[in-house]
């Protein structure tokens, strides 16, 4: 029997209201199962979360964003202005390495940003991809929507458009994100010339020997030392962080959706995309119907995680379509995740390193987040539960996402 079949993976979910059944009997042969496991949602509508608008949901890095979005809607602001003001906080946050300023760069060390916006009430969208030098690409996406007859501008065209509309061209790398990129570059291969030379001559004097030993011990570069400013502890932490990021670049992105009390809906997705990507690579975030979709008559959905998977199944549009046919936001997200799993024959070995999350809300104020895997795991084996951010008039909080597979 294949390893994928014996792994006890299908979620017996922590909430009794969100139970799954492992439908595939372990006794069945791999051939009779196709190449993996099949799950069936049993919960029907009973697990549905619902709140009175104005409400906003986002990926887990969007706690401040959803709070801001609700605040804007409470003041009578438009749903699109609400979500854009929300995600601007994250785009401008140098500590979020997956979005806007401080986002991790492509393989050449250049930050290329993707963003899309969709305004339910006017049924319009705008987007930019592989855009350089703008900290808040979601604002450029909105200008594409409002001031052109196009939907998506990319690369140099997007840059020129942003410049024409007064967006400055700024450096998006922080010292930390540059350091992580350099560590990645240096550790990528021992056959290129990046990193300390393996050809070290015999030291000519004791001073030379000491110097070499010190260099090896320090294991850092000028940049790290500048950031740490003489604080040895900070220097060690910084190097450890940069190496972790280089080895296992975090996925990120923020998707933020909002529903106001008039029943209007908008959404935005903004990201620096996959770290160390090929220059020009475009993910799901700026593609309408993939990383974001809004139908003001039904609801909205968005995604984070490995964009290629979401593009293959037209993720956000699929989730909204499922909701249109009567599924709750949670069911719709899980059904879309199943399409991704099915592309790999539900083979959990193949799916192990794939990370995809959907977020959805409908016109009735029902909402959900759902992930392919219950937890993320870093290279030290530390697990973190997948969550999403939610806010209504009573405040903002993180909520555990539903999931398809339990990570043990
Ligand atoms: N979905 C984003 C992309 O593929 C990345 C992410 O969410 O981490 O570009």
């Amino acid at each position: 029997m294949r390893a994928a079949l014996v792994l006890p993976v299908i979620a017996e979910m922590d909430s009794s209201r969100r139970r799954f059944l492992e439908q595939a009997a372990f006794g069945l042969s791999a051939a009779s199962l196709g190449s993996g496991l099949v799950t069936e949602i049993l919960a029907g509508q009973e697990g549905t979360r619902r709140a009175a608008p104005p409400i906003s949901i986002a990926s887990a890095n969007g706690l401040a964003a959803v709070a801001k979005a609700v605040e804007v809607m409470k003041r009578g602001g438009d749903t699109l202005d609400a979500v854009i003001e929300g995600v601007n906080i994250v785009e401008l946050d140098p500590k979020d390495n997956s979005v806007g300023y401080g986002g991790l760069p492509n393989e050449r060390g250049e930050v290329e940003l993707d963003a899309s916006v969709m305004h339910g009430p006017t049924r319009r969208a705008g987007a930019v991809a592989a855009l350089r030098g703008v900290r808040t690409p979601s604002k450029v996406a909105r200008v594409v929507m409002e001031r052109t007859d196009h939907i998506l501008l990319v690369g140099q065209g997007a840059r020129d458009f942003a410049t024409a509309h007064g967006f400055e061209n700024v450096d998006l790398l922080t010292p930390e994100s540059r350091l992580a990129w350099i560590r990645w570059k240096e550790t990528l291969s021992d056959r290129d010339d990046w990193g300390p030379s393996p050809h070290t001559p015999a030291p000519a004097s004791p001073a030379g020997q000491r110097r070499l030993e010190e260099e090896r011990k320090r294991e850092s570069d000028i940049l790290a030392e500048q950031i740490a400013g003489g604080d040895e502890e900070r220097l060690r932490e910084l190097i450890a962080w940069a190496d972790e990021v280089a080895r296992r670049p975090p996925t990120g992105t923020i998707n933020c959706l909002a529903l106001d009390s008039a029943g209007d809906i908008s959404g935005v997705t903004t990201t620096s995309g996959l770290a160390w990507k090929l220059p020009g690579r475009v993910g799901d975030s700026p593609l309408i119907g993939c990383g974001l979709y809004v139908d003001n008559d039904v609801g909205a959905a968005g995604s984070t995680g490995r964009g290629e998977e979401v593009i293959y199944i037209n993720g956000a549009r699929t989730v909204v379509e499922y909701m249109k046919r009567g599924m709750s936001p949670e069911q719709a997200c899980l059904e879309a995740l199943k399409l991704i799993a099915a592309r790999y024959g539900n083979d959990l070995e193949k799916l192990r390193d794939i990370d995809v999350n959907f977020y959805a809300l409908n016109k009735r104020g029902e909402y959900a987040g759902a992930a392919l895997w219950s937890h993320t795991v870093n290279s030290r084996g530390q697990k973190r539960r997948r969550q999403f951010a939610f806010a209504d008039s009573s405040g903002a909080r993180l909520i555990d996402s539903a999931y398809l597979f339990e990570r043990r």
Side-chain angles (χ1 to χ4, degrees):
M1 189 182 279
R2 300 164 58 114
L5 291 175
V6 294
L7 286 173
V9 286
I10 300 304
E12 181 58 52
M13 302 187 69
D14 45 5
S15 158
S16 60
R17 295 182 304 166
R18 290 183 280 139
R19 281 169 294 124
F20 281 63
L21 174 68
E22 186 179 312
Q23 196 183 44
F26 284 123
L28 294 179
S29 71
S32 72
L33 281 173
S35 56
L37 296 166
V38 181
T39 61
E40 187 189 22
I41 296 173
L42 290 181
Q45 299 279 339
E46 60 179 340
T48 304
R49 293 177 188 275
R50 185 174 184 165
I55 61 169
S56 177
I57 63 168
S59 38
N61 54 351
L63 206 52
V66 288
K68 171 59 86 179
V70 168
E71 183 195 311
V72 172
M73 289 186 286
K74 273 166 77 178
R75 287 201 308 261
D78 175 85
T79 46
L80 185 59
D81 296 338
V83 289
I84 290 178
E85 274 197 48
V87 301
N88 286 167
I89 298 170
V90 183
E91 289 177 321
L92 293 169
D93 179 357
K95 292 208 164 64
D96 191 312
N97 298 120
S98 66
V99 181
Y101 178 53
L104 293 171
N106 65 21
E107 66 173 7
R108 285 193 212 138
E110 301 150 340
V111 182
E112 292 189 332
L113 303 176
D114 297 342
S116 61
V117 300
M118 210 163 170
H119 187 238
T122 57
R123 303 181 200 272
R124 288 177 307 161
V128 288
L131 170 65
R132 296 195 190 159
V134 179
R135 291 182 181 180
T136 51
S138 61
K139 286 187 178 173
V140 186
R142 176 169 52 193
V143 183
V144 173
M145 181 187 90
E146 289 176 349
R147 311 298 305 172
T148 78
D149 192 31
H150 304 320
I151 293 178
L152 174 61
L153 296 179
V154 308
Q156 192 57 42
R159 177 60 260 174
D160 293 345
F161 177 81
T163 302
H165 281 276
F167 290 90
E168 267 180 78
N169 198 346
V170 297
D171 186 3
L172 297 179
L173 280 178
T174 56
E176 286 83 0
S177 59
R178 186 191 300 276
L179 174 68
W181 172 69
I182 286 180
R183 299 293 289 187
W184 173 75
K185 218 42 193 159
E186 289 187 350
T187 50
L188 196 57
S189 163
D190 54 9
R191 297 204 187 165
D192 62 24
D193 293 337
W194 285 82
S197 172
H199 310 293
T200 324
S205 71
Q209 176 67 31
R210 276 200 302 280
R211 175 78 188 188
L212 277 181
E213 280 165 15
E214 261 170 41
E215 271 179 26
R216 283 193 199 114
K217 229 178 6 203
R218 267 192 299 143
E219 227 206 302
S220 65
D221 65 4
I222 294 171
L223 188 56
E225 282 164 24
Q226 273 171 0
I227 304 168
D231 179 341
E232 283 296 317
E233 170 88 23
R234 171 96 178 100
L235 183 65
R236 267 195 304 279
E237 278 172 14
L238 204 57
I239 297 288
W241 169 82
D243 286 353
E244 168 74 16
V245 170
R247 242 191 324 270
R248 283 177 81 103
T251 51
T253 304
I254 178 166
N255 165 248
C256 185
L257 309 170
L259 167 74
D260 69 12
S261 35
D264 284 323
I265 309 168
S266 290
V268 56
T269 304
T270 171
T271 188
S272 50
L274 297 183
W276 331 138
K277 62 191 173 185
L278 302 189
R281 178 263 184 190
V282 172
D284 56 330
S285 308
L287 303 183
I288 297 303
C290 296
L292 176 68
Y293 195 73
V294 177
D295 179 336
N296 210 55
D297 299 327
V298 180
S303 64
T304 60
R306 203 177 126 76
E308 281 71 8
E309 302 307 328
V310 178
I311 294 171
Y312 270 122
I313 64 150
N314 292 182
R317 176 73 174 79
T318 298
V319 171
V320 172
E321 187 60 30
Y322 285 153
M323 292 196 291
K324 191 172 178 177
R325 293 181 192 181
M327 286 187 198
S328 70
E330 184 174 299
Q331 280 181 312
C333 291
L334 289 166
E335 282 301 313
L337 290 166
K338 285 190 201 170
L339 296 180
I340 292 172
R343 292 189 64 246
Y344 293 89
N346 298 301
D347 182 331
L348 299 171
E349 283 302 320
K350 289 186 179 167
L351 289 163
R352 183 177 299 275
D353 294 324
I354 294 178
D355 160 45
V356 175
N357 304 270
F358 285 117
Y359 314 91
L361 57 73
N362 67 19
K363 216 171 162 64
R364 291 192 292 274
E366 295 166 352
Y367 59 93
L372 193 60
W373 290 98
S374 58
H375 295 76
T376 51
V377 188
N378 67 16
S379 63
R380 277 158 295 165
Q382 292 163 330
K383 281 168 73 177
R384 221 182 51 224
R385 186 74 170 79
R386 278 279 171 208
Q387 295 184 306
F388 68 101
F390 166 80
D392 62 7
S393 298
S394 65
R397 62 183 189 278
L398 288 173
I399 297 173
D400 285 352
S401 298
Y403 55 86
L404 208 54
F405 302 126
E406 180 148 14
R407 175 101 61 195
R408 306 219 173 204

